[in-house]
Amino acid sequence: MGTSYKYKCDECGYEEEFFTGGRPMTKDYHKRTEEAEEELRSAALYGKYGESIRQLMKNEREKIYINCDTELYQCMECRQFSVQIAKEMYMNRQDFTMSVEFRHECPSCHSALLRKTRGSITFCPKCKMFTAQLVSLGKFD
Ligand SMILES: [Zn+2]
Ligand SMILES: [Zn+2]
């Protein structure tokens, strides 16, 4: 299961389509997300994300859900889109909910990336105007 996003800008003619999630559903994709997941777990165990996360990972490992699917991000500075492995951790207990999303860096300018969710208009990576439109949002298996 994956999602495709197509952005189009009427101002400058920019048009690009991105695929996130399991496409292509290959062994490679699974290997990549599994590796990312393992990396995240060991970094957490090593204390990279602070003491409280380290303790949780140590004591409640099986209750922690890790999302390492690919998602679409956009840079807040240079407005480039990029598909990145998500790196999110959740934990749900009756008395406690944890949700951590790790910071992603833009591959071109190293600024912070923002996850693209539903918003249909965004900044165009080419002309930088607030004119890029999400023209299609597809689902595929
Ligand atoms: Zn950037
Ligand atoms: Zn544009």
Side-chain angles (χ1 to χ4, degrees):
M1 251 277 284
T3 309
S4 71
Y5 300 86
K6 188 177 185 182
Y7 283 96
K8 210 173 157 182
C9 173
D10 287 336
E11 291 296 316
C12 69
Y14 167 85
E15 192 180 316
E16 204 169 353
E17 194 168 12
F18 302 92
F19 297 96
T20 66
R23 190 196 200 237
M25 228 24 195
T26 58
K27 270 189 192 152
D28 240 40
Y29 181 82
H30 277 295
K31 196 163 166 271
R32 215 151 58 93
T33 55
E34 261 168 38
E35 275 172 8
E37 203 178 307
E38 207 35 60
E39 227 177 84
L40 207 61
R41 280 187 195 278
S42 34
L45 265 179
Y46 194 69
K48 194 176 167 188
Y49 308 120
E51 183 57 23
S52 48
I53 292 184
R54 193 181 74 85
Q55 287 295 336
L56 284 176
M57 192 54 85
K58 206 171 131 198
N59 303 320
E60 320 236 18
R61 188 191 166 106
E62 66 287 348
K63 293 187 193 121
I64 296 179
Y65 170 74
I66 295 186
N67 172 24
C68 281
D69 262 337
T70 52
E71 304 281 356
L72 183 64
Y73 291 83
Q74 187 175 27
C75 177
M76 291 191 285
E77 290 297 323
C78 73
R79 310 298 181 193
Q80 294 302 312
F81 287 110
S82 62
V83 174
Q84 304 273 333
I85 287 183
K87 292 207 261 182
E88 292 172 308
M89 277 198 236
Y90 310 96
M91 193 175 87
N92 275 301
R93 268 191 345 203
Q94 276 176 334
D95 54 332
F96 177 78
T97 306
M98 170 188 84
S99 165
V100 192
E101 185 173 0
F102 298 100
R103 187 179 178 275
H104 286 76
E105 234 180 48
C106 171
S108 9
C109 75
H110 304 288
S111 296
L113 292 177
L114 213 61
R115 172 124 155 229
K116 285 318 289 173
T117 38
R118 288 295 131 82
S120 60
I121 295 185
T122 188
F123 290 94
C124 172
K126 202 173 157 194
C127 68
K128 324 284 185 203
M129 308 271 282
F130 195 69
T131 45
Q133 275 200 61
L134 182 63
V135 290
S136 68
L137 181 69
K139 291 264 177 209
F140 52 85
D141 291 322

